[in-house]
Structures are given as structure tokens and as C-alpha cells.
Amino acid sequence: KPDDSKVSIKAAVRFFNGRKRPFLCAALAIVLVLLFSAHALSYHRVDQTGSTTKQRLWYTPVPKKSRGIFYGPSHLANLLEPRGYIRTDNEEDAEYVWVHKPSKIKQKQLKPWQRANHLPNSYPLSEKGAFVETMMEYGARTGKNARFVPETYRLYNKKDRQRFIDRLAEGGMDESWVSKRPHVDGGKGVKFLGPNSKELHVFAKSLQSDPNFGGKSHSSSARLIIQKYVNGLLPYHGRKFDLRVYCLVASSVPLVVFYHDGTLRISLSKYDENNFSSQQVHLTNWSAQKSAQGTKDNADEARASFKDLASYLEEYVSQNPRVSHIKDPISHVRDQIKDALATVAHIYRDLSFSVDAEEDGKKLCGAENGFAFLGGDFMVDSDLKVWITEMQSGPGTSHDSKTTRRNFALVLPGLFEILKEVRAREMSGEPISEMESPNTWELIYKDNFRFTYSGDNGGS
């Protein structure tokens, strides 16, 4: 009441003065609890696919002595040091940690503010058998088959093994196949089996007579997968090629993924899809070419740029009525790849792209966010349809050719520009999921967005 107002104010002051210390202590305790537990606080959003994304409300700031410091190879330093980054030999002091193999990163020992170029649990993505298994499980669960994955069988899986034996009996002996050891890279453990060849007959006989052939489980060192050889591949000036492209998981929490053009990897030998007498004709990676006939002098012959491919495809389309309806062939190829990688990102978002992944109730990673630099290998057939051969969790950044040097001069500095923006958004509280394509990297997946392509040069 008005006549009691002075009394009420005085009473309130006396009340606060008498209790201000407990009140302030309680307020301070609440603030401290929030600060120490902020790394676990997040908001949740449900995207158009029904999946939940999240971003922490608070991130641990990078200590001043570690800002802009990275631990990584010397050729990365050559690209980043002119842009203000400083290389260190002490992994523990680095804001960014960059190593080739995921196993080299001590995930649990990462500090909350550190960012490493591998996320925990990358095995299901980079191991060929696990990748195929994951894609098959996704297709069985959703009814949406990954149309960019060649016909594949895991010989260490009892049902798959029998399906392949049945497939051979139903005309498969008249087709070409590729057997792979799924846990090795660089073209090692790959064998090409021509139609009705001696090698294919020996392979089929071994399947029938030896129950251990191809491995007995997904952990067997002798395990094999076998894929249908993609016939009718488009050669590049008479030689077999595939495309090594790049994918950047710029943020795990929430998931934001970008794409970047890579290069053509080209065999140094003339291509004949019916000639399996030489492995090198069918392998395109540089390590395989170098072991056969590659030198520093012909390294440039084993690579070409997407610009070179664009010119080649324009000429190819103009001379082939079967594909003359494709108005922009390089975009047609690129958009199929982007669609495939966006699908992979969606399937693996919680399996391999989560920095919050746990094992036995314990976090696998000590960092509050992370990123991953990935490679994807794709083939192109004569109808300009793309086929994925594998994903790489640690793609090489070798500079053997002029083409790769020019490409990485765009890829790697652009990658760190994106990471810098992610960090800025973490510190300012701006939604990371609202990032767009900032440079030569193209956004393909984020909260409420997934790049799709229907085949008519209309990706969205």
C-alpha cells in the first residue's frame, strides 16, 4: 500500500542485508556448477529426417599460448604458416592436431578445446567390409538402397558367402569380379578375376572346398569381400581412372559436412577391361603405379584436374548420343558424388561422426568438438553414373604431381578457414548449423539440409 511503501522498502533492505552473504554464495555456487558442467549442456533440434542435432551452450576457450598452433606434417606447415598458423612438435600444446592414421590420436587424452582431424570410431567408415555392411544395413532398415555401391558380398559372412556361391552358379562365372582384403589400402590385397578365367575358377573352387577361405568372421585377418567389377567404365584418353574427392566433417556437434573437388587418379597403362593379365591396368592409385612403372618424371601423367575432366566430358557427350541429354556433364558427375557423400554423412552421423561416442558408458574422446578430413574414391561409367569404391579416413596429402599440389593449395587452407569459423561460432554462441559454403568447399549436409540429386543437374 502507498502509506506502507517506505516501511516495505526499509524491510526489504534489512532483509537483504541480513541475508546477502548466503544469497551471494548460493548465486556463486550456481554459476560455478553451470560453468563446470557446461560442456555437457546442449540444445537439441530435430531435423527434416527425424534425427536430433545438438550444439553445446558453452565451449572451453583455447588457451592463449595454443591459439593458432597446429601439430602436423611439414607440407601442411608450408601452406598454413604464411596464413599465420604456427607448427609445433608438442601435440599437447596444439589447438589443431593432424596425423595420417586415426590410431595415432590419443582421443581420450585430448583436451576439451583441442580439435583433431580424426573422430572416434572411424573403423566402420574406412574398413571396406564394415562400410559395405553399414550401407547394406541402412538399405534393409529403410528400404533405400545406396545405388552408388557396386554389388558386394562379404565372404566372412555365412549368408553373404552362400549368396555369392549361388550368384556364381546363376551366371556369375561369365562376369568379372574383384576380391579385396578390406583392411588394407594402397591397392594391396586386390585381385581381379576375369570371366571364366582360371583365377575365377580357382577362387570358386576354394569357396566350395575350404570353409575358412575368405575368413570366418569380421575380425579374421584372412577376411575377403568380393565386388562386381563395374564394366563399361569411362576411360580417360584410353586409360582407366577414378576420382579422389574430399569430404570435411567440419563439426561433430552439430554435424556439418562439406565437399571439395579432388583429382583424377589415372593408370599409366592403356585400358582394356577384358585384359586382367596386369593388375596395374586396373589400379589407379599412385602407390600401385609407382611400384610398377611410376617415377618422378611421369607422376604428372597419373593425375588430372576436374577442369581437365570437364573438357573431356564435354567432348565425350557431344560424340555419344546415349548421353547427349546431359547438358552439364561435369556437374552431373559432381552432383552424384555430393549426393552419395551426403548419404554417407547421414548414415554415419551417430556411428562415426560423433565426438560424444561412448563405449561401456565412457566417452571415447576428451574434446568437445572435432573434425574429420576424409577421402572418397569414385569410378565413372560410360553412362556417366558414379560408383563408390571406398572411403578413406586418412587420405594422403602427397604432392607427387603439379595437379595435386595445386589442388591441396585450395583444399587445405580452405579447410582451416572453415575450422576457424566453427571455432568463432563456438565462442560467440552463433549456431554452427547455420554455416554456408565459405570458399571452394561446398556444403552438403547440416541441420535441416542434405544435398540430393535426382539426375537432372538440379542438386538441392
Side-chain angles (χ1 to χ4, degrees):
K1 295 179 181 180
D3 57 330
D4 293 330
S5 59
K6 291 183 180 179
V7 175
S8 298
I9 291 171
K10 289 180 180 178
V13 170
R14 285 197 303 271
F15 178 85
F16 179 76
N17 285 338
R19 292 166 174 79
K20 64 180 178 180
R21 288 179 181 173
F23 175 82
L24 291 173
C25 289
L28 180 60
I30 291 172
V31 169
L32 289 174
V33 169
L34 288 173
L35 286 174
F36 282 108
S37 62
H39 69 279
L41 298 176
S42 61
Y43 72 74
H44 290 74
R45 236 183 237 177
V46 178
D47 68 13
Q48 60 188 359
T49 60
S51 296
T52 302
T53 61
K54 56 187 178 180
Q55 177 171 332
R56 289 179 171 81
L57 295 177
W58 187 85
Y59 291 85
T60 304
V62 183
K64 190 173 182 179
K65 68 173 185 176
S66 296
R67 293 173 192 169
I69 307 298
F70 76 94
Y71 174 88
S74 58
H75 61 262
L76 187 60
N78 294 335
L79 293 170
L80 296 182
E81 286 179 344
R83 292 167 172 81
Y85 291 89
I86 300 172
R87 186 184 179 213
T88 181
D89 292 327
N90 188 352
E91 184 178 344
E92 295 182 0
D93 290 338
E95 178 180 3
Y96 299 105
V97 177
W98 187 292
V99 298
H100 178 58
K101 294 183 178 181
S103 58
K104 296 294 183 181
I105 292 181
K106 301 170 184 176
Q107 293 280 356
K108 292 182 180 179
Q109 296 179 27
L110 288 174
K111 298 177 178 66
W113 47 267
Q114 285 188 300
R115 302 292 179 261
N117 69 317
H118 294 286
L119 292 165
N121 202 29
S122 62
Y123 173 85
L125 178 73
S126 58
E127 205 270 358
K128 301 177 187 69
F131 177 74
V132 168
E133 188 170 332
T134 303
M135 303 305 284
M136 290 171 66
E137 287 176 355
Y138 171 76
R141 187 174 69 252
T142 64
K144 301 175 182 178
N145 291 323
R147 60 187 182 277
F148 49 86
V149 180
E151 180 183 353
T152 307
Y153 301 89
R154 300 157 294 164
L155 300 185
Y156 51 87
N157 177 280
K158 189 175 181 179
K159 290 183 179 179
D160 261 20
R161 182 189 183 90
Q162 187 57 51
R163 277 196 286 263
F164 180 62
I165 291 173
D166 295 341
R167 179 74 169 81
L168 289 178
E170 296 168 358
M173 294 298 294
D174 298 326
E175 301 179 68
S176 304
W177 300 89
V178 188
S179 76
K180 300 178 179 179
R181 294 173 63 198
H183 48 294
V184 295
D185 298 316
K188 300 179 183 69
V190 177
K191 290 184 179 180
F192 296 93
L193 309 170
N196 282 306
S197 63
K198 177 184 176 181
E199 291 79 10
L200 182 56
H201 279 281
V202 170
F203 194 91
K205 186 177 180 180
S206 298
L207 271 177
Q208 295 280 7
S209 61
D210 184 359
N212 295 322
F213 181 74
K216 295 193 71 174
S217 71
H218 62 82
S219 60
S220 170
S221 60
R223 65 189 183 277
L224 293 173
I225 65 170
I226 190 155
Q227 287 185 323
K228 176 77 173 62
Y229 186 89
V230 180
N231 294 106
L233 288 175
L234 177 70
Y236 181 75
H237 296 296
R239 294 179 289 159
K240 185 179 178 181
F241 78 96
D242 70 1
L243 300 172
R244 163 60 61 85
V245 300
Y246 300 103
C247 185
L248 169 64
V249 178
S251 167
S252 168
V253 187
L255 185 61
V256 180
V257 184
F258 293 84
Y259 160 87
H260 202 290
D261 285 348
T263 59
L264 283 70
R265 306 189 304 177
I266 310 166
S267 170
L268 294 172
S269 304
K270 184 176 175 61
Y271 180 55
D272 179 357
E273 71 173 31
N274 298 311
N275 177 16
F276 291 96
S277 60
S278 171
Q279 294 277 100
Q280 274 64 38
V281 171
H282 301 274
L283 292 172
T284 58
N285 57 304
W286 178 238
S287 59
Q289 296 300 311
K290 188 164 56 175
S291 65
Q293 53 185 317
T295 67
K296 290 183 178 179
D297 296 329
N298 62 8
D300 288 331
E301 298 177 32
R303 294 280 185 168
S305 68
F306 264 58
K307 184 177 180 181
D308 297 327
L309 179 61
S311 300
Y312 183 78
L313 292 180
E314 289 287 349
E315 183 178 356
Y316 173 74
V317 167
S318 68
Q319 296 175 358
N320 289 272
R322 191 174 73 254
V323 290
S324 60
H325 64 284
I326 300 175
K327 304 304 180 186
D328 186 354
I330 189 64
S331 293
H332 178 67
V333 169
R334 180 187 287 119
D335 287 349
Q336 289 179 79
I337 294 173
K338 288 159 60 179
D339 178 283
L341 291 175
T343 300
V344 171
H346 180 67
I347 294 171
Y348 278 85
R349 59 180 300 151
D350 296 320
L351 182 61
S352 293
F353 295 159
S354 174
V355 78
D356 291 327
E358 294 184 353
E359 187 175 79
D360 298 327
K362 296 181 181 180
K363 275 194 65 177
L364 295 174
C365 181
E368 294 169 342
N369 205 347
F371 71 100
F373 177 58
L374 308 170
D377 296 338
F378 290 83
M379 299 179 294
V380 183
D381 68 21
S382 56
D383 292 324
L384 302 192
K385 174 176 170 54
V386 305
W387 301 88
I388 193 168
T389 56
E390 65 179 302
M391 292 293 296
Q392 288 274 353
S393 61
T397 54
S398 63
H399 289 55
D400 294 312
S401 71
K402 294 177 183 176
T403 301
T404 54
R405 286 193 290 272
R406 283 194 295 265
N407 189 245
F408 283 128
L410 294 173
V411 169
L412 297 174
L415 181 155
F416 275 84
E417 284 180 26
I418 293 173
L419 297 183
K420 189 175 181 179
E421 181 179 344
V422 170
R423 180 74 77 178
R425 287 174 177 269
E426 289 176 352
M427 293 297 99
S428 67
E430 293 180 73
I432 299 170
S433 59
E434 292 182 4
M435 289 181 66
E436 300 294 339
S437 302
N439 46 46
T440 52
W441 285 88
E442 299 179 61
L443 181 71
I444 59 170
Y445 193 94
K446 67 173 183 176
D447 190 19
N448 293 321
F449 173 74
R450 173 177 165 187
F451 183 91
T452 59
Y453 180 61
S454 61
D456 57 2
N457 292 136
S460 61

